């Protein structure tokens, strides 16, 4: 089976730059896949993408050096299995708030006896190779999103779930759930503290800490803080910021505000 180089890098203690695509286009997925990211996540939660559009996007990503990942809309076993069959090499699952939810998510990503994934890896065979079935349980990356107070309350139990490779912070939802306005770069003290706490506990459990960020500079700062998997916003944010900057340059306006990105 084709090696999941992102999982190998993370397990060896390395860092990963993860692109994020929400525009339902195989061409833009291909562009982002060629931009130098280690992995690219097709976002079926907040991106405007359904399964029928995710499939050609995963095919386009397969022609690039980036490892294709998906963020699923929710913790739904059949949907997770379908996207793995479509060739996703890892799954980011939103709103994991209890160890039971984490265990059910991991189970959907693992063939028996480790889980309850059903067999039929249509594109898994094509992208992964003929021996996909033998190695899929080791190669598929499982990342649960921590973005609620309940997840904070259950953090150690979630991190102790066998087969969960890491956690990914959704700073917008985490802010909202802690009583603050959504933000990709939270500054409210309780949210800042919660993010530092999640990072420390994840590292203590020997798991991968990841976080969604608003741009490349912010993502770099998160790596320096100790996060190992970072996303510099989605391609829609990057595109609109670059477009606004070009317009501002034409009009000789300050580009300071127009180059700010945020995202979800
Ligand atoms: C969040 O910030 O809540 C996210 O889910 C980022 O994608
Ligand atoms: Mg979220």
């Amino acid at each position: 089976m084709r090696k999941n180089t992102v999982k190998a890098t993370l397990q060896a203690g390395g860092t990963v730059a993860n692109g994020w695509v929400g525009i339902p286009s195989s061409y833009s997925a291909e562009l982002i896949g060629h931009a130098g990211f280690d992995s690219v996540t097709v976002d079926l939660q907040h991106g405007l993408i359904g399964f029928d559009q995710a499939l050609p996007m995963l095919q386009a990503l397969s022609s690039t050096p980036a490892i294709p990942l998906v963020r699923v809309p929710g913790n739904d076993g059949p949907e997770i299995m379908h996207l793995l069959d479509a060739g996703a090499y890892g799954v980011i699952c939103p709103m994991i708030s209890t160890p039971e939810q984490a265990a059910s998510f991991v189970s959907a990503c693992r063939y028996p006896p480790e889980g309850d994934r059903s067999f039929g890896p249509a594109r898994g065979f094509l992208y992964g190779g003929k021996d996909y079935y033998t190695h899929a349980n080791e190669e598929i990356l499982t990342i649960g999103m921590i973005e609620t107070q309940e997840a904070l309350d259950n953090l150690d139990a979630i991190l102790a779930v066998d087969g969960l490779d890491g956690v990914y912070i959704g700073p917008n939802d985490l802010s909202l759930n802690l009583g603050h306005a959504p933000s990709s770069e939270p500054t409210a003290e309780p949210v800042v503290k919660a993010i530092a706490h999640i990072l420390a506990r994840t590292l203590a459990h020997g798991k991968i800490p990841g976080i969604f960020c608003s741009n490349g500079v912010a993502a770099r700062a998160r790596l320096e803080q100790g996060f190992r998997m970072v996303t510099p916003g989605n391609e829609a944010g990057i595109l609109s910021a670059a477009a606004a900057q070009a317009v501002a340059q034409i009009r000789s306006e300050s580009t300071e505000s127009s180059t700010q990105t945020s995202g979800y």
Side-chain angles (χ1 to χ4, degrees), residues 173-226:
D173 279 312
L174 186 63
S175 300
L176 263 179
N177 281 290
L178 298 185
H180 299 275
S183 168
S184 295
E185 303 301 335
T187 52
E189 193 61 21
V191 187
V192 171
K193 279 193 174 148
I195 289 174
H197 176 65
I198 297 165
L199 171 61
R201 294 313 305 154
T202 306
L203 292 173
H205 281 260
K207 302 227 165 168
I208 302 154
I211 188 165
F212 190 88
C213 312
S214 56
N215 57 46
V217 173
R220 172 83 223 165
R222 289 299 190 190
L223 287 185
E224 279 156 16
Q225 189 184 354

Side-chain angles (χ1 to χ4, degrees), residues 6 17 32 39 51 64 97 99 109 141 152 160 176 218 224 235 255:
V6 157
I32 300 297
S39 53
F51 180 88
T64 78
S97 296
C109 300
L141 186 68
L152 283 173
L176 263 179
E224 279 156 16
E235 95 289 39
T255 58

